[in-house]
Amino acid sequence: MNDLPKQTSPNHDIVSQMRQLITVLKQHNHAYYVLDNPTISDSEYDDIRKRLIALEEQYPQLRQPDSPTDSVGDKPLPAFMQIKHDIAMLSLGNVFSYDELIAFMRRINDRLDQSHQNPEYEMELKLDGLAVSLKYVHGKFSQALTRGDGRVGEDITLNIKTIRNLPLFLPKCTNIDLLEIRGEVLMPKAGFARLNKQAIERGEKTFANPRNAAAGSLRQLNPAIAAARPLAFFGYSVNQGLPSDITSQSGALAYLRELGFETTPVQTARSAKDIQAYYDDVARTRSDLPFEIDGMVIKVNSLALQEDLGFLSREPRWATAYKFAAESAVTRLMAVEWQVGRTGQLTPVGKLEPVSVGGVTVSNVTLHNFGEIGRLGLMVGDMVSIHRAGDVIPKVGGVMVDLRPSDAQSIELPTSCPVCESPVVLPEGEALARCTGGLFCAAQAKEALIHFVSRRAMDIDGLGKQWLISFHDMGLIKTVADIYRLPTHQQTLVTLEGLGEKSVQNMFAAIEKSKATTLPRFIFALGIRGVGESTAMNLATAFGDLPQLQQASIDKLLSVPDVGEITAHNIYDFFRAVHNIEVINALITLGVHWQPFTAQTDLPLDGQTWVVTGTLSAMGRDEAKAHLQALGAKVSGSVSAKTAVVLAGEKAGSKLDKANSLGVTVLDESAFLALLHEHQRT
Ligand code: IVH
């Protein structure tokens, strides 16, 4: 009769081995799904599980009823069966503000008699997943239904069985004929991120959010697929079979936890003020939770009072959801305007049909750059989803192409700057379009002015930044050429508070002095993108004077040391913007001048190898390197006996030590700056 293998150890040894494996598996399930902090790898987990399965196969009669291996075969289901709920699954009403909360609480007071006014409320998190109803018969899990239409749900028993944190056997409930527990199935954020990462790696479609991922997982006809999805169950109510000594919602949740279910944290309060304080707390810390919530649920705590209050047609009177303002919304893109930033970049701004997102009305949204418009496939007239979380600026999450109207219009990059009408360029392979009118464009004026007067450019130190900006704001200075026209405003200037006759004279003297400059300084002062001091020096060396530089072809520009594709185009485009040329001509007419630049043919550092180490205060290491190269030096990364000089900034380390031990010449920053000055590099 008994065909079991002969047991070599007493039954209780096998049982205790099984119990041990079950405990370990449950701990890891908790760590993985609830804490989102797995402490072992998936394969290690599988190994433990396999060991338990092996024992269960060998000793089926000792199999523990709560074994987590009690999951499903991988036979696909034909379809989900429709089953009627014993008790309808209703939804919840909503409140969105403190005033609405007070109105909800007032409605409750109005229905309660005098002795039950201001009842205690119990608060839970509103988990953002899917509602399910679970049945346990004599403590054994027997059925799971979706909410469906509230009256009839779908039988997803096999999929639910694969959820790792769900107890399948409740040893304390074997005497309860039928226990019905309701709660939420959700996918923790970390599991969601992993799932989407895997999908991307496999070139599959990703899920938009954890809730969709959870829903998609439960709808799998093949439970083996659902089993591989990181789902978790959180109980929030006991709808049948609750022991009669439990008389409150918080008591019911404590009971669920005792049975081994996960629940949301619970808090109780009586006043609207305290409820609001808890809500504010939850709203502030929600991003720290391992799963997503969309608000808080407030329930009258006493089950007897819940019964007295009863239901409206589709929702209980005794509970409501205090929801967070939606952080995304759908609206129409009405137009696109282009804004010009202070460095000339053109940013498209979407004009929206105003919509409330996260409690704030949004009518403009940055589209970042022209490349982003292409990436989104966006057209004017499209319906777009707008996202915003916390204080984060709103952004377009996606375009509903299916809803595109027939008169939708494509979005073109403007050919001329909306501020100064200079040509707009979009360098190949770049997302950012730019206005080329750097010297003329009002949007870029402040940047251009500050750069122009700076010490390493035209060096007008008597004209401080504050005054420069004030003069610009007063309309006295529009372009850099107007700096040299300031003396015509002498009468106005001397009357300004803080500017006396004397300081105006000093200012004019500094302006006058700056007229005699050098070609490299002047080129640098123009503020062409990508043209720093050393590139300006290299351009001056290569072209000798401004007209030659102005007329240079892209190829010619590319032959200059330090000038790459992008900078070559920036220089070329800069000198093709008519307004820039007008400003340059005005500067020359107003007296700015320089000597033609003759480069030294015998470079002073020819044949020397330098090493730059430590931190320099006046410039970055790359800039120092560019200066050294322009003076003929080779710059190397390591110190050897062949090193001619080590330039050591602050906190120089092992390279300096090595230089000292090899007896290599060491220069500090001030000596280096003196050297640059001597060779007209500063
Ligand atoms: S209690 C009579 N508690 O919210 C309905 N629901 O909008 C009692 N939900 O369908 C529901 N977290 O899916 C309750 N702590 C919680 C909840 C919660 C999320 C969901 C549930 C329900 C929906 C109603």
Side-chain angles (χ1 to χ4, degrees), residues 90-92 124-127 131 147 184 236 264 297 299 316:
L90 302 179
S91 71
L92 287 169
E124 299 167 16
L125 303 182
K126 188 166 187 308
L127 308 161
R147 177 161 171 257
E184 202 83 351
Y236 55 63
T264 92
V297 182
K299 303 174 180 178

